């Protein structure tokens, strides 16, 4: 993974003291949620990231040489039960999920160019309610998962109008079924 690092961040894994951090950005319909693996707020890239410390957990991000769809999961524990209703009501399907690896310099400033470890789409959410506190696990999948999905598009005018209203690109497909086309000679 060190070969994916660029700029000043490329030298960080080789320092005598390494200060890594994970940053997670989840693009919900109600607005983005940004969290990082430390404690307290973190300012990077013009936005503030909330520190979740030991209450947050990220699954291992698999990296292979094969063309394989690997997912990731993001977990947050210690959630009061009264905050679960907005989580359940929020539509998350196919919303963006990003995971960055960042490093800090000796002054605890983010070293430029954190590396994007995972870019995927949110898929499902699992809630484990323990009474006083709950744990939320959000699962995201790689965009490569789309290769496994069946495409149910038809090359008809009705299908084209549903996707692109007013487009006339497929309006003559039905009439082409019965037309006699003579190539290379005059009729």
């Amino acid at each position: 993974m060190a070969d994916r690092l660029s700029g000043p961040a490329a030298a960080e894994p080789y320092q005598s003291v390494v200060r890594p951090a994970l940053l997670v950005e989840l693009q919900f319909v109600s607005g983005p949620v940004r969290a990082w693996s430390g404690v307290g707020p973190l300012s990077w890239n013009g936005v503030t990231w909330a520190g979740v410390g030991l209450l947050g957990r990220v699954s291992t991000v698999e990296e292979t040489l094969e063309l394989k769809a690997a997912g990731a999961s993001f977990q947050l524990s210690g959630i009061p039960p009264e905050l679960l209703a907005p989580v359940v009501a929020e539509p998350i399907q196919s919303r963006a999920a990003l995971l960055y690896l960042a490093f800090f310099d000796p002054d605890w400033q983010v070293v430029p160019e954190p590396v994007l470890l995972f870019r995927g789409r949110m898929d499902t959410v699992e809630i484990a309610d323990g009474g006083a506190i709950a744990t939320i696990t959000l699962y995201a999948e790689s965009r490569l998962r789309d290769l496994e999905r069946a495409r149910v598009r038809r090359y008809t005018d009705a299908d084209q109008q549903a996707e692109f209203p007013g487009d006339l690109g497929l309006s003559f497909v039905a009439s082409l079924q019965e037309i006699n086309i003579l190539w290379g000679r005059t009729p």
Side-chain angles (χ1 to χ4, degrees):
M1 193 254 316
D3 59 329
R4 289 178 42 190
L5 297 175
S6 62
E12 288 302 313
Y14 305 105
Q15 300 296 328
S16 59
V17 176
V18 180
R19 299 169 188 89
L22 293 175
L23 289 80
V24 175
E25 182 174 352
L26 304 171
Q27 293 290 333
F28 290 104
V29 174
S30 60
V33 171
R34 296 178 182 96
W36 75 288
S37 58
V39 178
L42 170 71
S43 182
W44 174 67
N45 206 18
V47 294
T48 301
W49 303 70
V52 295
L54 297 175
L55 298 177
R57 171 176 278 157
V58 176
S59 69
T60 303
V61 177
E62 187 178 350
E63 197 173 89
T64 66
L65 295 175
E66 303 167 2
L67 187 62
K68 181 179 174 184
S73 66
F74 308 96
Q75 188 177 74
L76 186 61
S77 58
I79 309 294
E82 59 269 10
L83 296 179
L84 293 179
V87 173
V88 173
E90 183 83 27
I92 65 163
Q93 205 71 50
S94 297
R95 306 292 299 176
L98 306 166
L99 174 65
Y100 295 93
L101 172 65
F103 295 98
F104 290 104
D105 63 16
D107 297 325
W108 292 100
Q109 299 300 313
V110 176
V111 174
E113 302 300 324
V115 65
L116 181 63
L117 290 179
F118 177 80
R119 177 191 303 258
R121 296 178 183 165
M122 292 185 257
D123 186 28
T124 59
V125 66
E126 180 180 288
I127 298 174
D129 191 355
I133 60 168
T135 300
I136 298 171
T137 305
L138 188 138
Y139 297 95
E141 60 184 22
S142 168
R143 293 195 62 187
L144 287 175
R145 182 74 68 196
D146 288 344
L147 294 175
E148 299 172 0
R149 290 192 176 104
R151 301 287 185 237
V152 280
R153 293 286 318 259
R154 306 285 185 249
Y155 292 104
T156 64
D157 185 48
D159 189 54
Q160 186 73 0
Q161 292 301 319
E163 189 75 21
F164 304 102
D167 186 3
L168 302 177
L170 296 177
S171 60
F172 299 105
V173 169
S175 65
L176 288 175
Q177 302 300 317
E178 304 297 323
I179 196 166
N180 188 10
I181 299 175
L182 303 173
W183 291 99
R185 63 182 179 158
T186 320

